[in-house]
Amino acid sequence: MSSRSISMPVGVVVRKTPGVTKWAKWNWQAIAVLPGAAQADWLEMRREGDAVEYHAGTRTLELYRTDTDAYLSGLSCEVPMIYVVMRNAGTNDELGDVDLLLVTVSPYEAQDYMDSGEEVVEPIPMPAAMIAWVAEFIEKHHEEEVFIKRKRDKKRTDLVEDGIGDHRIKQTTDVYRAPTRKTGGYVQ
């Protein structure tokens, strides 16, 4: 674990249930992850009536040493989450109406995808083995950033009105008026 990043294949389990409105024929929801899973393409795992669970696909979860702050924030939650980012494929097929984009353990990255409104982000409780894997990476690479308070200078800024109006106008009455031109230069 001396490299700058590490990765793990993570399978995503998606449940398909009948939609509750006439506009959505199916409801797709990521319900679980499979750490270290092999590649799969919508492999049916279980069926209960109209509800079907698929191993929809396997994506690579990558951890970078520069993002340990985000991973630490995610692990400090009451229930650490892994986030599955999906996009509606728009095919309205019986199988695979969603595209799996990525899996991440960074709540900051997940929030960025939620803000766009284009993707669906499903939080899933992180398995214990994955929590240990992420925690080990954080322990190895996390460097606490030291807070340095900014010090103000002792200069009094209320004595001179720098930057108000045109510097070529010396009078104190209307500092915002435009300078006038006389022959030979500006009026002082």
Side-chain angles (χ1 to χ4, degrees), residues 173-186:
T173 55
D174 187 7
V175 293
Y176 294 106
R177 75 174 175 83
T180 58
R181 192 180 266 283
K182 274 191 164 183
T183 57
Y186 290 101

Side-chain angles (χ1 to χ4, degrees), residues 54-104:
Y54 297 98
H55 179 181
T58 301
R59 297 293 178 263
T60 302
L61 171 63
E62 292 193 58
L63 301 183
Y64 299 97
R65 70 178 184 163
T66 56
D67 293 338
T68 56
D69 238 6
Y71 308 145
L72 191 59
S73 176
L75 286 186
S76 66
C77 295
E78 188 174 324
V79 178
M81 297 288 186
I82 183 167
Y83 302 92
V84 176
V85 181
M86 303 182 296
R87 182 177 291 149
N88 185 356
T91 59
N92 213 9
D93 289 342
E94 294 287 321
L95 184 62
D97 197 28
V98 294
D99 291 331
L100 295 176
L101 297 181
L102 71 107
V103 291
T104 182

Side-chain angles (χ1 to χ4, degrees), residues 9 12 23 27 45 47 57-58 70 79 85 93 106 114 116 133 137 143 145 148 165 175:
V12 178
W23 295 280
N27 181 33
M45 297 175 68
R47 181 180 293 267
T58 301
V79 178
V85 181
D93 289 342
S106 169
M114 283 188 244
S116 76
W133 182 70
F137 183 80
E143 295 175 10
E145 189 173 324
I148 300 173
V175 293

Side-chain angles (χ1 to χ4, degrees), residues 5 16 46 68 91 115 121 148 154 171:
S5 67
K16 176 183 90 169
R46 184 168 68 169
T68 56
T91 59
D115 288 345
V121 180
I148 300 173
K154 303 272 190 245
Q171 68 186 39

Side-chain angles (χ1 to χ4, degrees), residues 88-156:
N88 185 356
T91 59
N92 213 9
D93 289 342
E94 294 287 321
L95 184 62
D97 197 28
V98 294
D99 291 331
L100 295 176
L101 297 181
L102 71 107
V103 291
T104 182
V105 293
S106 169
Y108 304 159
E109 186 177 13
Q111 182 65 45
D112 289 343
Y113 280 100
M114 283 188 244
D115 288 345
S116 76
E118 297 285 321
E119 292 83 16
V120 175
V121 180
E122 297 279 352
I124 298 170
M126 199 182 307
M130 191 175 285
I131 292 172
W133 182 70
V134 173
E136 183 180 347
F137 183 80
I138 291 170
E139 185 177 315
K140 175 103 173 146
H141 295 285
H142 184 67
E143 295 175 10
E144 198 64 44
E145 189 173 324
V146 179
F147 176 75
I148 300 173
K149 186 172 180 171
R150 180 177 66 100
K151 294 182 179 172
R152 295 180 183 232
D153 55 1
K154 303 272 190 245
K155 182 179 176 185
R156 295 229 8 219

Side-chain angles (χ1 to χ4, degrees), residues 18-40:
V20 293
T21 68
K22 64 181 179 179
W23 295 280
K25 186 174 182 181
W26 300 105
N27 181 33
W28 301 88
Q29 182 181 13
I31 59 166
V33 292
L34 308 167
Q39 290 296 325

